[in-house]
Each structure stands twice: as C-alpha cells, then as structure tokens.
C-alpha cells in the first residue's frame, strides 16, 4: 500500500509544480488553467500552449488516448517527446527550429523550470503540449 500512496503523492507534487509554473506565466488565465488542472491530473485532457500565447484544452478520445496523428496536427509536424518527471510529457515539433517556427514563451518557461541548464540557449518553438504519459502510445 505504501508504493501506490507514494506514487500518487509524487504525481500530485509534480502536477502542482507544473501548475505553479503555468500560474506564474499566465496569471490572467488563472480560471482557465485551474479548470484544466483536474483533467490533466486525471488523464482526461492535455494542455496545448500555442506559440501565440493562447492555451487550449485538448480532449482525449473515448479510450483516454490522444493519437499520434492528432499530436502531429497540434504541433504542426513530427513530434519530439520530452519526459517531465515520471508522469508528464512535453510534446513539441521535432523540426521546429529547422522550419523557423516562432518562439513559444510559455512552453520555454515550463521547459526551463524542469531543466535548469544555466543558459538561455535551450528554448521551445512552435506549439507545445503537456500530456499525461498514460494518454499516448
């Protein structure tokens, strides 16, 4: 019984860290972010951070999954998967730099909150999706 409780606790703490990062980035959209929070935890939806600064909720299908085709459509190209902790994945466009996609400030701040690299050389371009790792194959 200790392992499931510990896993649930770590999942909860990681979700709080993601949400705190997002809250600092988008304080004006607090109600929208709070509404998405529960669905992100329970694997019912994902959060799409568009490069234009808008945030959208992406619903999973009836099986609780988001297909690779949908992921590619959302990030406008082939996907790159970056694990954030044990439970979440940041999905971006694998060829975003080569294709000249615009800088994504929100996704970059979230990425840097997990991967403190000590410089500003690493950043995210194009749309980015945060998804529970149980929602993709």
């Amino acid at each position: 019984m200790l392992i499931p409780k510990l896993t649930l606790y770590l999942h909860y703490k990681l979700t709080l860290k993601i949400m705190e990062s997002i809250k600092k980035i988008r304080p004006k959209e607090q109600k929208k972010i709070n509404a998405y929070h529960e669905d992100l935890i329970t694997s019912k939806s994902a959060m799409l951070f568009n490069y234009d600064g808008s945030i959208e909720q992406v619903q999973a299908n009836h099986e609780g999954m988001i297909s690779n085709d949908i992921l590619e459509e959302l990030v406008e190209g082939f996907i790159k998967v970056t694990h954030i902790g044990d439970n979440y994945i940041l999905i971006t466009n694998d060829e975003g730099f080569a294709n000249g996609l615009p800088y994504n400030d929100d996704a970059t701040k979230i990425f840097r909150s997990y991967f403190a690299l000590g410089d500003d050389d690493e950043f995210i371009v194009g749309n980015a999706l945060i998804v529970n790792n149980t929602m993709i194959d």
Side-chain angles (χ1 to χ4, degrees):
M1 288 294 181
L2 180 61
I3 302 251
K5 286 184 180 180
L6 180 60
T7 301
L8 182 61
Y9 174 75
L10 293 174
H11 176 72
Y12 174 74
K13 293 298 279 183
L14 181 61
T15 303
L16 285 179
K17 184 175 180 181
I18 289 172
M19 297 316 296
E20 286 303 313
S21 298
I22 296 167
K23 286 176 188 178
K24 291 175 187 171
I25 296 166
R26 311 296 294 172
K28 292 181 181 177
E29 295 191 21
Q30 193 60 50
K31 285 185 180 181
K32 184 190 290 187
I33 290 168
N34 286 340
Y36 297 168
H37 183 209
E38 186 65 30
D39 284 342
L40 185 63
I41 291 173
T42 58
S43 305
K44 293 180 182 174
S45 71
M47 293 179 73
L48 177 67
F49 293 86
N50 294 299
Y51 60 80
D52 67 4
S54 62
I55 302 171
E56 299 176 43
Q57 186 175 32
V58 177
Q59 294 294 327
N61 65 19
H62 67 282
E63 296 172 342
M65 304 294 281
I66 299 176
S67 72
N68 194 52
D69 291 340
I70 298 295
L71 295 173
E72 288 180 345
E73 182 181 320
L74 292 170
V75 300
E76 302 172 352
F78 296 112
I79 64 170
K80 177 181 179 181
V81 173
T82 305
H83 291 270
I84 300 176
D86 294 330
N87 299 305
Y88 297 99
I89 296 172
L90 176 68
I91 297 174
T92 56
N93 185 316
D94 190 41
E95 299 173 332
F97 291 104
N99 293 336
L101 294 179
Y103 175 78
N104 187 324
D105 188 53
D106 292 342
T108 297
K109 288 177 182 173
I110 293 167
F111 175 80
R112 287 181 181 163
S113 74
Y114 287 92
F115 302 100
L117 303 173
D119 58 39
D120 292 338
D121 290 343
E122 295 286 332
F123 56 91
I124 305 297
V125 297
N127 297 337
L129 186 75
I130 293 181
V131 60
N132 190 297
N133 64 5
T134 62
M135 296 173 68
I136 62 171
D137 290 330

